[in-house]
Amino acid sequence: MSKDVLLEIRKKLEPHVGERIKLKANRGRRKTFEKEGILESTYPSIFVVRIDEPNYFQRVSFTYADVLTETVKLSFDEDKRCRSAGL
C-alpha cells in the first residue's frame, strides 16, 4: 500500500473537517456500525468522527487504510460517496 494513496485520501477529507458525515463501518463478524456525526479532525495516520446523538456521545477514529479497503464507507451531506478510488 503506497503512502501516496493514503496521503491523497487524507487531503480529500481535510476540506470536510467540521462537516456532517455519515459512516458505515464493518466491525467484523457481521457487525456494522452506522452513525452520523461530525468529521472532527484529521491526523497523519487517522481521522476522528464525533458522534453526538441524544443519550449517546462518542468519538471514533479510523485509519485512511480503512477507507482505502472500504472497511469504512463515508458520505457527506452532498451525498458524495467516499471510496478508495476517489473519495
Side-chain angles (χ1 to χ4, degrees):
M1 183 172 1
S2 173
K3 285 190 176 187
D4 293 336
V5 175
L6 299 179
L7 182 61
E8 187 66 29
I9 293 170
R10 179 180 175 198
K11 285 182 180 179
K12 289 182 180 181
L13 282 177
E14 283 179 342
H16 296 284
V17 170
E19 290 183 16
R20 197 133 193 80
I21 189 171
K22 293 179 186 177
L23 64 91
K24 182 177 181 180
N26 180 359
R27 293 291 198 183
R29 292 197 173 235
R30 296 185 214 158
K31 295 179 186 174
T32 56
F33 179 81
E34 292 185 48
K35 294 287 180 184
E36 288 188 29
I38 304 291
L39 180 59
E40 194 168 79
S41 53
T42 59
Y43 296 100
S45 300
I46 63 168
F47 61 96
V48 178
V49 177
R50 183 182 72 230
I51 299 166
D52 195 5
E53 298 175 352
N55 302 321
Y56 187 83
F57 175 80
Q58 183 179 11
R59 282 189 175 92
V60 290
S61 62
F62 299 98
T63 65
Y64 302 111
D66 291 335
V67 176
L68 180 66
T69 60
E70 295 189 0
T71 302
V72 175
K73 295 182 182 179
L74 306 171
S75 60
F76 298 94
D77 281 343
E78 302 98 47
D79 201 35
K80 294 179 184 174
R81 299 295 280 174
C82 294
R83 293 219 171 120
S84 59
L87 280 180

